[in-house]
């Protein structure tokens, strides 16, 4: 004897999840948009005075907005495949997750580097092998 309790039909569940995905992705896009506007306003206020520390602070803040927005976008992608995903959807999620994770990794690394430069402006910069003259 099989006992099956269906709280919501699959079609209704897909509709609800579709609405949640759009909401989460919209929040991610809004975070990125707000960050870009904020960074632009800060840049205009700085007046292009060429102060590296001020410019780095603006980039650091914008990077934080980008990372947070991308995390929301990834959450929406994961949620999209929550109900009976096809192999195509799983493959697309894997590709999207890999790209967004790589973006987040490199943004996070750059944010850490910018933060270190701001906190210790006199410390020598660490260069990778590609930055060294041939």
């Amino acid at each position: 004897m099989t006992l099956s309790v269906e709280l919501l039909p699959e079609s209704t569940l897909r509709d609800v999840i579709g609405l949640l995905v759009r909401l989460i992705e919209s929040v991610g896009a809004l975070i990125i948009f707000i960050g870009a506007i904020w960074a632009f306003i800060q840049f205009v206020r700085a007046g292009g005075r060429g102060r590296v520390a001020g410019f780095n602070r603006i980039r650091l803040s914008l990077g934080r907005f980008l990372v947070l927005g991308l995390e929301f976008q990834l959450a929406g992608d994961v949620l999209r495949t929550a109900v009976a995903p096809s192999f195509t959807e799983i493959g697309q999620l894997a590709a999207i997750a890999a790209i967004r994770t790589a973006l987040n990794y490199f943004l996070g690394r750059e944010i850490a580097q910018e933060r270190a430069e701001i906190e210790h402006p006199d410390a020598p910069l660490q260069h990778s092998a590609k930055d060294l003259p041939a």
Side-chain angles (χ1 to χ4, degrees):
M1 180 171 146
T2 304
L3 179 62
S4 175
V5 177
E6 190 172 297
L7 296 176
L8 288 173
E10 188 174 325
S11 63
T12 304
L13 187 58
R14 284 186 186 277
D15 292 341
V16 169
I17 289 177
L19 178 65
L20 292 174
V21 166
R22 286 191 296 276
L23 178 65
I24 290 170
E25 288 181 342
S26 296
V27 168
L30 184 62
I31 289 169
I32 292 170
F33 178 75
I34 289 170
I37 295 297
W38 182 89
F40 179 73
I41 290 169
Q42 295 303 313
F43 178 74
V44 169
R45 278 187 183 168
R49 290 180 227 141
R51 290 184 19 230
V52 173
F55 181 71
N56 284 344
R57 287 184 199 281
I58 294 168
R59 287 187 65 220
L60 182 60
S61 294
L62 177 58
R64 289 180 180 144
F65 279 100
L66 291 173
V67 167
L68 182 59
L70 286 171
E71 290 292 337
F72 273 90
Q73 296 293 323
L74 183 58
D77 292 331
V78 170
L79 188 57
R80 181 179 288 115
T81 61
V83 179
S86 67
F87 283 112
T88 302
E89 289 173 326
I90 292 171
Q92 288 173 343
L93 174 63
I96 290 168
I99 291 167
R100 289 190 176 155
T101 301
L103 282 172
N104 273 343
Y105 171 76
F106 289 112
L107 276 170
R109 200 169 79 171
E110 188 167 335
I111 287 170
Q113 183 179 357
E114 294 287 336
R115 183 180 300 134
E117 288 177 18
I118 289 170
E119 291 174 358
H120 307 288
D122 297 330
L125 295 176
Q126 295 182 5
H127 295 283
S128 65
K130 68 177 183 157
D131 296 331
L132 298 175

